[in-house]
Amino acid sequence: MSEPSIKITAELPADQAWALAEFFKRAGFSDYRNKAQTDDEAYLMRDAAESLRQAFADASIEPR
């Protein structure tokens, strides 16, 4: 059985949105693993960040 989805809506100033998108672009697994208690939690964190990175890209905030 899958977990229910949660929809998140946020309004950010453009500079904050770009900075956060840059973070998601630059963060690697080791960054998440350093903050997680387990590998599984790190993978969940990384996957959530990727979903947010994609939402930024859909809003034309896609750092190169």
Side-chain angles (χ1 to χ4, degrees):
M1 186 171 183
S2 65
E3 293 283 326
S5 293
I6 297 172
K7 183 173 184 166
I8 298 170
T9 303
E11 188 169 326
L12 299 171
D15 60 345
Q16 289 180 7
W18 276 96
L20 190 54
E22 286 282 2
F23 173 78
F24 291 141
K25 178 185 85 173
R26 294 176 184 156
F29 180 76
S30 63
D31 297 303
Y32 298 108
R33 185 60 188 101
N34 284 336
K35 302 299 182 194
Q37 292 182 347
T38 66
D39 282 352
D40 288 342
E41 185 179 51
Y43 284 116
L44 288 171
M45 294 163 94
R46 184 199 60 187
D47 293 348
E50 176 56 24
S51 294
L52 292 173
R53 190 208 58 77
Q54 184 59 56
F56 281 115
D58 292 346
S60 298
I61 300 172
E62 192 169 14
R64 304 253 181 253

